[in-house]
Amino acid sequence: MIKRWAKYVRTHDDSEWSRQQNRLIDSQLQSANEMAATGDTDPVQFAAARDRLRDR
């Protein structure tokens, strides 16, 4: 994946991949803020949800 990303960055305009990274980071921060606002940040519950997703 790292090699693919490095190739992508070399072959695409800085503003394009920078904008895409910004969107990804913003969406992750939004999700984290929403989880914190609803109290869904309990580490035990998080680990349980993670494990359920792995078992799919």
Side-chain angles (χ1 to χ4, degrees):
M1 182 61 195
I2 293 171
K3 289 180 180 181
R4 286 177 47 200
W5 176 247
K7 180 180 177 184
Y8 181 85
V9 170
R10 283 192 306 270
T11 58
H12 290 77
D13 185 64
D14 289 353
S15 64
E16 180 182 355
W17 64 260
S18 178
R19 185 175 56 253
Q20 292 170 342
Q21 283 292 104
N22 190 36
R23 246 185 283 150
L24 173 65
I25 292 167
D26 286 349
S27 69
Q28 290 174 327
L29 289 172
Q30 180 181 355
S31 293
N33 286 332
E34 288 171 1
M35 288 179 69
T38 61
D40 291 335
T41 57
D42 178 47
V44 174
Q45 290 180 355
F46 178 82
R50 178 199 60 208
D51 293 343
R52 283 192 306 273
L53 289 172
R54 275 193 203 150
D55 293 338
R56 285 185 182 179

